[in-house]
Amino acid sequence: VPVFLVGAGPGDPDLLTLKAYRILQSCDVVIYDRLVSDAVLAVIPDAVERIFVGKEKDRHLLPQAEINQLLIAQARLGKQVARLKGGDPFIFGRGGEEMLALREAGIPVTVIPGITSASGCAASIGIPLTHRELADSVQFITGHSRQDGTLEIDWPRIATPRTTLVFYMGLSHLAAICTALTQHGLSPDTPACIIQEGTRPGERVCTGTLATLPGLAVEQALTPPALLVVGSVVGLRE
Ligand SMILES: C[S@@+](CC[C@H](N)C(=O)[O-])C[C@H]1O[C@@H](n2cnc3c(N)ncnc32)[C@H](O)[C@@H]1O
């Protein structure tokens, strides 16, 4: 039996795919992390075993190598394993590492895509990410920093008008990101917003510009998980 790498979507359980839902009903064990919402966990039958391998920034509860080993060990017990990950497993979700580790161990993998938080959150608040008049492309960027605390982002390549930018994990570097984008040519008036806990009961949205958003986010005490969306399309929200 393959291990299923399952996308849980951004949080609203109605955004699970039918395939994900079906696997969650029929598997033996679900291995999930912090990003999976309570509402999604609630659709898993009580009889299914659950293993939490949540990761917190700077305090990984289980290092990735151990998660890989756990997946392999559980599969070798003959269990039907569902590895449930927030959003889409292959978008900043380290699903690739897990797939490769399983493959190397000779265990087949089936990937069930999920709605990535960029699409889920944008839809939830009415931002068309590639609105024809305003954006020719959209880029998904990680705002996560390297070990030394710096961001590994090719600013000249991304700071272009008519491109919508969606930063995952960018909240802690919000001010640095907004400053760098303006230094590399985007107008300080470029619309930008943060969506916290998109599609979940605690959803909050903070809208401003590259110049104002960092201050507003501090004022409103926004917390992860949160996405940063930058570009003219943000202006279509209202
Ligand atoms: C490690 S990445 C995983 C992304 C995930 N695989 C996906 O496709 O959405 C975690 C980041 O996703 C974003 N994120 C995930 N779910 C979110 C939600 N419901 N609302 C806002 N941001 C979310 C946040 O930027 C968070 O820091």
Side-chain angles (χ1 to χ4, degrees), residues 10 35 86-88 91-93 116-117 121 167-169 195-198 200 225-227:
L35 214 54
D88 182 276
I91 303 285
F92 302 127
T116 192
S117 45
C121 294
F167 291 85
Y168 289 64
M169 299 167 280
I195 309 152
Q196 173 184 322
E197 290 186 69
R200 302 180 183 204
L227 275 187

